[in-house]
Amino acid sequence: MQDSFMNCPQGIKNEKDIEKLGERVSLMFEHLGEGIDKLDKKLDQLDKKIEGLKESIPKQIDESVEEKWKTGVYGVVKWLVIAVVTAIIGVTVRVFMGS
């Protein structure tokens, strides 16, 4: 019975189709393996970048807070100086105008 299958044109065609399918499946797995390797490398690079960000973000936040604090303090001091100078000018003008 197996000999009749091997001599049958349809059986030969099916056997060739199965061989081609096997080759295509093995190529597909090769490409899939390559894609997984590339993805793994990219994930490793992303992991390294994330670790770098984890280390640098607290430093950046501290620097930003310090800068905002200094800017805020200087702004408050500036307005206080302006207010005091304006008050002094106002008092001086009143004294000279009132005399």
Side-chain angles (χ1 to χ4, degrees):
M1 183 165 209
Q2 189 148 8
D3 285 335
S4 64
F5 178 74
M6 296 303 246
N7 293 329
C8 173
Q10 190 64 34
I12 293 171
K13 181 182 180 292
N14 287 343
E15 184 178 357
K16 288 181 182 178
D17 288 343
I18 290 171
E19 287 175 7
K20 287 180 186 177
L21 181 63
E23 290 172 5
R24 288 182 182 167
V25 168
S26 78
L27 282 175
M28 181 185 69
F29 281 124
E30 264 183 55
H31 290 295
L32 184 63
E34 291 171 3
I36 289 174
D37 289 342
K38 286 180 183 178
L39 181 63
D40 190 41
K41 288 178 185 176
K42 287 183 180 182
L43 288 175
D44 286 343
Q45 291 172 352
L46 182 62
D47 189 41
K48 289 177 185 176
K49 287 180 182 178
I50 289 173
E51 289 300 319
L53 285 175
K54 282 182 181 178
E55 293 173 6
S56 69
I57 285 176
K59 182 178 176 183
Q60 290 175 350
I61 290 172
D62 290 342
E63 290 172 357
S64 178
V65 167
E66 185 176 332
E67 184 178 326
K68 291 288 185 183
W69 174 253
K70 287 179 182 177
T71 304
V73 169
Y74 290 137
V76 169
V77 169
K78 177 180 74 173
W79 284 110
L80 284 174
V81 169
I82 290 172
V84 168
V85 169
T86 304
I88 291 172
I89 291 172
V91 168
T92 306
V93 169
R94 281 188 188 166
V95 168
F96 283 120
M97 297 296 266
S99 306

